[in-house]
Amino acid sequence: MAPVPISPIKVGHIDDVQELRKFKPNIIPERFIRDIQERPTPATPLISSSDIPTIDLSKLLKGNKDEILQLTTACEEWGFFQVINHGIALNLLENIEGQAMEFFRLPLEEKQKYAMVPGTVQGYGQAFVFSEHQKLDWCNMFALGVIPDFLRNPLFWPKKPANFSNTVEIYSKEVRKLCKNLLKYIALGLGLKEDLFEEAFGVAVQAIRMNYYPPCSRPDLVLGLSPHSDGSALTVLQQGKGSSVGLQILKDGKWVPVQPIPNALVINIGDTMEVVTNGRYKSVEHRAVTHKHTDRLSIVTFYAPSYDIELGPMPEFVDKNNPCRYRRYNHGEYSKHYVTNKLQGKRTLEFAKIIPTKNSC
Ligand SMILES: COC(=O)C(/C=C/C1=C(C)CCCC1(C)C)=C/O[C@H]1C=C(C)C(=O)O1
Ligand SMILES: O=C(O)CCC(=O)C(=O)O
Ligand SMILES: [Fe+2]
């Protein structure tokens, strides 16, 4: 029998938003215009951004019980918090931001040497596009798998700017330490042994994604990044200095803006933590909006279990009042599922959800 040809993904023409902004500043192509119900309404003024908790890592490291409690509350009630005194040197935050901006400012032909193949997530372009009819985000992305080595494709590591790759390496090591520390205190806050999550995740996968949102003449019609939850265990997000406010999180059915605190990092709980805690901690849907006059950069690190790992709700979170909500699965399979579906709220996590019965685990 003749082999069945694998149909290539047809994504149609994807405009580069930086080029659009440069050459046709007042044109918004149809593919970027969201259906009315998806358009970003002005963020709610009722919940102020300062309500998003701030956690001081230096206090956690001293074993400050009150700070551990604040962390636990932040994870349970918000799924998002900003971390200050995180131990990552200010000049490293500035360097990675500088390198990312230098990269995005390169001529299109240079960036396209690292063009993302449709249906994949590494390189330069728009990830998570799978059809010609799908709405596009007002964003240029550049993403790299960093750890373990098998995720790295040297062809995607840019030669320009000259210090880009080295800065990503140094930055990623520091962010990894931060994730390990946070997971330790998240475990302690839950009354668990400090290395429970780290042991459960194996050699964690780590990836970096830089998102650049140019200004948009009609920020009311487009989204910078579609609503989604992250498939990671933890995500660490650095917002560029002087960037416009753009990140919004869905809290009690309303979009709440995250006001950047200078030099702080935004942390969020990803799908993996929702599964292992059997829903006690939830991955929170978030999106990015654009601004009429200001551009925005975010540098995002995804920290996730090894692809070999089988995951499911940990027994510590399951009892007769909290029956198992998620099935066991292999994280490599989840990762494949995640990157082969468009970003659509928390839909990706349906992969793991089970219909409640008495003894599901
Ligand atoms: C919005 O989420 C993502 O873009 C994302 C992608 C991560 C990845 C890369 C940019 C390159 C290497 C592969 C990898 C999938 C890790 C989120 O990462 C999360 C999602 C899953 C699942 C995961 O393991 O990390
Ligand atoms: O740019 C932002 O603030 C959001 C980025 C994000 O959610 C992501 O890259 O997964
Ligand atoms: Fe995200």
Side-chain angles (χ1 to χ4, degrees):
M1 205 167 69
V4 180
I6 301 165
S7 68
I9 300 170
K10 281 196 191 139
V11 295
H13 175 70
I14 299 181
D15 279 302
D16 182 287
V17 285
Q18 281 174 267
E19 301 296 302
L20 271 180
R21 175 71 191 172
K22 200 148 103 195
F23 298 110
K24 297 177 186 166
N26 294 314
I27 305 284
I28 316 285
E30 180 60 32
R31 285 193 77 185
F32 290 89
I33 299 180
R34 296 285 167 156
D35 296 339
I36 299 216
Q37 69 281 5
E38 277 194 314
R39 291 182 193 169
T41 45
T44 173
L46 292 176
I47 307 175
S48 95
S49 346
S50 58
D51 289 334
I52 288 159
T54 302
I55 301 298
D56 186 336
L57 183 77
S58 68
K59 288 189 184 167
L60 291 178
L61 293 173
K62 286 185 198 135
N64 182 317
K65 296 263 176 347
D66 186 51
E67 203 63 15
I68 299 178
L69 189 62
Q70 308 253 17
L71 172 67
T72 308
T73 311
C75 293
E76 205 152 44
E77 292 179 3
W78 287 89
F80 261 86
F81 57 90
Q82 307 214 40
V83 63
I84 56 169
N85 297 323
H86 42 63
I88 305 184
L90 180 57
N91 75 339
L92 186 53
L93 300 184
E94 287 169 353
N95 284 350
I96 192 84
E97 186 181 330
Q99 294 295 308
M101 276 319 299
E102 250 189 76
F103 177 81
F104 283 113
R105 287 190 184 123
L106 290 171
L108 183 62
E109 310 76 74
E110 184 63 32
K111 291 183 283 187
Q112 279 181 334
K113 289 182 183 163
Y114 311 101
M116 199 178 272
V117 173
T120 69
V121 284
Q122 296 209 47
Y124 176 75
Q126 281 224 14
F128 304 103
V129 184
F130 298 97
S131 93
E132 296 172 274
H133 310 290
Q134 195 179 322
K135 293 292 178 193
L136 299 174
D137 291 333
W138 194 264
C139 178
N140 278 337
M141 295 174 177
F142 181 68
L144 293 170
V146 180
I147 296 172
D149 280 350
F150 75 80
L151 273 183
R152 290 179 180 227
N153 182 344
L155 297 175
F156 283 126
W157 287 68
K159 307 225 169 3
K160 285 182 193 166
N163 284 330
F164 185 98
S165 298
N166 191 38
T167 310
V168 167
E169 300 280 15
I170 299 168
Y171 179 79
S172 297
K173 283 200 181 109
E174 291 299 303
V175 175
R176 198 168 179 87
K177 278 191 233 159
L178 174 63
C179 290
K180 286 179 189 288
N181 272 324
L182 288 171
L183 283 175
K184 171 175 158 180
Y185 291 102
I186 289 174
L188 288 174
L190 286 163
L192 304 169
K193 99 179 160 53
E194 62 178 51
D195 49 6
L196 186 80
F197 295 124
E198 276 295 280
E199 277 180 4
F201 295 162
V203 177
V205 159
Q206 195 172 330
I208 190 165
R209 202 167 80 203
M210 296 162 177
N211 303 306
Y212 179 70
Y213 309 94
C216 177
S217 61
R218 292 296 306 270
D220 54 326
L221 299 182
V222 308
L223 282 176
L225 188 59
S226 302
H228 66 282
S229 63
D230 294 335
S232 48
L234 290 181
T235 301
V236 178
L237 181 145
Q238 179 181 338
Q239 313 203 57
K241 258 207 185 99
S243 286
S244 52
V245 177
L247 174 62
Q248 297 184 341
I249 70 174
L250 192 60
K251 167 103 174 127
D252 305 327
K254 296 200 169 81
W255 289 105
V256 180
V258 176
Q259 185 76 49
I261 298 174
N263 308 320
L265 296 166
V266 178
I267 310 296
N268 65 285
I269 296 290
D271 296 342
T272 301
M273 293 303 282
E274 175 164 334
V275 170
V276 295
T277 65
N278 197 27
R280 174 143 172 205
Y281 287 177
K282 294 197 175 47
S283 63
V284 172
E285 204 172 320
H286 52 286
R287 69 181 185 184
V289 297
T290 61
H291 193 272
K292 202 167 180 147
H293 304 293
T294 324
D295 61 354
R296 179 164 178 270
L297 172 76
S298 64
I299 299 167
V300 183
T301 298
F302 302 104
Y303 186 86
S306 159
Y307 287 171
D308 305 336
I309 294 291
E310 305 292 321
L311 285 175
M314 290 176 159
E316 291 84 346
F317 298 95
V318 182
D319 58 34
K320 68 175 183 345
N321 297 320
N322 299 291
C324 218
R325 295 177 177 197
Y326 309 91
R327 66 178 177 87
R328 290 189 71 75
Y329 60 86
N330 162 272
H331 186 71
E333 294 286 317
Y334 186 59
S335 195
K336 199 162 145 196
H337 173 76
Y338 189 93
V339 300
T340 50
N341 281 280
K342 67 175 182 176
L343 296 178
Q344 208 175 359
K346 290 195 64 168
R347 189 158 295 176
T348 325
L349 194 52
E350 281 168 22
F351 173 92
K353 284 217 170 115
I354 48 178
I355 298 146
T357 60
K358 271 200 177 145
N359 266 326
S360 311
C361 275

